[in-house]
Amino acid sequence: FCLSRGLGDVYKRQVSTQSTGDYFLMKRKDLPKDEAPLKKPKLEEITEPQENNEVTEPTTSTKPKGRPWTLSIAIPDCYALNAPSPLMKAQLISTLARAAAIFRVDEIVLYKSEEAKQSEADPDRHLLMLFMLLSYLECPPYMRPNLFPKHFLLEHADKLPLLQIPPHLKSQKPYREGVTLGVNNTKSTVNVGLKKPIEVNKLLKPSVRVTVKMQENTEIDSTRSGTFCSPNEPRELLGLYWGFQIRVAENLEDVFVGPLGSEGYDLCVGCDNAYIANNDISLPRFKRTLVVFAGTNGLNFTFKNLTQRFAKHFKGGASTGTRTIRMEEAIFMTLSVLRPQLNKNGIVEKI
């Protein structure tokens, strides 16, 4: 009550005791010297902060406009192959998707390995489960009913946590992921996760996943419109992480040729299922990088000369408290060490 009133009225009041409640009602001159209120400085007494205390915001010209460089990882199909139950397999695959989202992986390459062929489990069925679950987790939740019918390999998909990457969020961004619902005259109706579907001036068949650039200065409740664009545009122009693509390679050799590597990966890093112990590693400049994780046989099983294929090859790690390091652990550890170098040496200027 005292603090809500004018300070002039409070200081004029006289008190006879100095109880806890009356302490704040004392006159200014009655307060102890070391507890007296601070004197309000005059305008001419206020000085500019020193240079070492100044905090300057980066100007618009210094902020990066986008992220043209890409990061791809290659995972053998023996990942989570020997999990004791389908639920545990689904959880390990969810961990892989979570790692890809955290470290902004743009492409996951699943390649067929010799370890999976020698296993008693069905490698083709497991590879299909890997592909379907990763695609399901990367897809925005509002699009899943249109793109993923019921399947026995997705029986535990609804129990897995959401990735919560930018395409999943319902905030009003200039780009949105959508699925086509049908055709209305000369326009396609697209569900982009808003209250109402939007219309796009291009005809596409139903159940096609698309990336839409929303039209600006339109009301949310009205029928909105947009244009189709490349899924790489949010990353290249605004630096937004826009999920990951998934492809399957028949062997480890085919890993190096694909959608994001069609022009060739200019930086390839090999990791023999063990995290990188040296934090002082250095990477050259790159635009498209690929990190290959090997199975239990190692990369030497496929490549005789690793230096011709990989610019960097890491094998082994620092002493740990466990006998081995699992692949899902090696992915987190390796990408966490590589991340500063990737952010530093990724080519920002478009080539």
Side-chain angles (χ1 to χ4, degrees):
F1 172 76
C2 320
L3 299 178
S4 63
R5 300 183 59 186
L7 292 178
D9 296 337
V10 174
Y11 293 141
K12 290 180 180 179
R13 297 184 58 179
Q14 300 288 338
V15 292
S16 56
T17 60
Q18 295 186 9
S19 61
T20 303
D22 296 331
Y23 180 82
F24 297 100
L25 301 179
M26 298 171 60
K27 293 183 179 180
R28 184 188 298 264
K29 63 181 181 179
D30 296 332
L31 292 175
K33 293 183 179 180
D34 55 345
E35 298 183 11
L38 295 176
K39 180 182 178 182
K40 185 176 180 180
K42 298 181 181 180
L43 293 178
E44 56 270 14
E45 296 177 356
I46 301 178
T47 58
E48 294 294 331
Q50 299 180 0
E51 293 183 0
N52 56 356
N53 293 331
E54 289 183 355
V55 179
T56 58
E57 294 292 335
T59 59
T60 306
S61 59
T62 60
K63 293 182 179 179
K65 295 181 180 180
R67 182 172 65 89
W69 58 271
T70 61
L71 171 62
S72 303
I73 61 174
I75 306 295
D77 60 349
C78 61
Y79 176 85
L81 179 62
N82 297 321
S85 65
L87 177 59
M88 186 169 291
K89 280 187 179 182
Q91 292 173 340
L92 290 175
I93 296 173
S94 175
T95 303
L96 172 59
R98 183 68 176 174
I102 290 175
F103 296 102
R104 299 190 299 174
V105 173
D106 302 297
E107 181 189 35
I108 298 179
V109 185
L110 304 174
Y111 66 92
K112 297 181 179 180
S113 61
E114 293 296 329
E115 294 90 338
K117 296 178 181 178
Q118 299 171 0
S119 175
E120 298 179 357
D122 186 357
D124 294 333
R125 176 176 173 175
H126 178 69
L127 180 60
L128 180 60
M129 182 178 181
L130 269 171
F131 185 88
M132 292 184 64
L133 267 178
L134 287 174
S135 302
Y136 182 91
L137 292 170
E138 192 274 339
C139 180
Y142 57 85
M143 297 167 49
R144 293 172 182 174
N146 299 91
L147 299 177
F148 295 92
K150 289 186 178 181
H151 197 278
F152 69 96
L153 293 178
L154 298 176
E155 60 177 340
H156 301 293
D158 293 336
K159 303 175 184 177
L160 303 177
L162 299 177
L163 295 184
Q164 296 182 343
I165 57 180
H168 293 193
L169 305 180
K170 293 185 177 182
S171 58
Q172 301 300 319
K173 294 184 178 296
Y175 297 95
R176 299 191 68 87
E177 286 294 287
V179 55
T180 56
L181 303 178
V183 177
N184 183 13
N185 296 330
T186 60
K187 299 181 180 181
S188 296
T189 305
V190 184
N191 175 21
V192 293
L194 300 178
K195 295 181 179 179
K196 297 179 181 180
I198 68 168
E199 294 181 346
V200 181
N201 290 325
K202 190 175 182 180
L203 298 181
L204 288 179
K205 61 181 181 180
S207 301
V208 176
R209 181 173 176 176
V210 293
T211 303
V212 180
K213 183 177 182 180
M214 303 297 295
Q215 183 177 351
E216 299 179 358
N217 299 327
T218 56
E219 297 293 335
I220 297 179
D221 295 333
S222 62
T223 302
R224 304 187 66 179
S225 61
T227 56
F228 296 133
C229 66
S230 169
N232 297 327
E233 188 172 315
R235 169 180 56 82
E236 293 177 348
L237 296 184
L238 300 181
L240 295 174
Y241 176 65
W242 213 247
F244 49 81
Q245 303 178 19
I246 309 165
R247 66 180 177 94
V248 178
E250 290 296 325
N251 50 58
L252 191 52
E253 288 284 355
D254 293 342
V255 167
F256 301 92
V257 180
L260 290 185
S262 57
E263 302 178 5
Y265 297 103
D266 51 5
L267 175 62
C268 297
V269 178
C271 182
D272 275 330
N273 201 19
Y275 79 96
I276 304 168
N278 186 8
N279 293 336
D280 298 330
I281 62 172
S282 60
L283 297 177
R285 300 282 288 174
F286 68 92
K287 185 179 180 182
R288 294 171 299 276
T289 185
L290 172 67
V291 181
V292 180
F293 292 91
T296 55
N297 292 337
L299 295 175
N300 288 310
F301 185 81
T302 305
F303 303 106
K304 294 182 180 179
N305 192 349
L306 295 176
T307 57
Q308 295 181 354
R309 178 64 71 176
F310 300 100
K312 295 286 184 179
H313 175 237
F314 302 101
K315 183 178 180 180
S319 59
T320 59
T322 57
R323 183 174 62 89
T324 60
I325 298 176
R326 298 171 182 171
M327 187 175 297
E328 63 271 17
E329 299 167 343
I331 293 172
F332 271 98
M333 293 176 177
T334 302
L335 294 180
S336 63
V337 175
L338 290 176
R339 185 174 188 175
Q341 288 292 322
L342 295 175
N343 294 334
K344 177 182 178 180
N345 295 324
I347 297 176
V348 178
E349 300 81 13
K350 286 190 175 182
I351 298 178

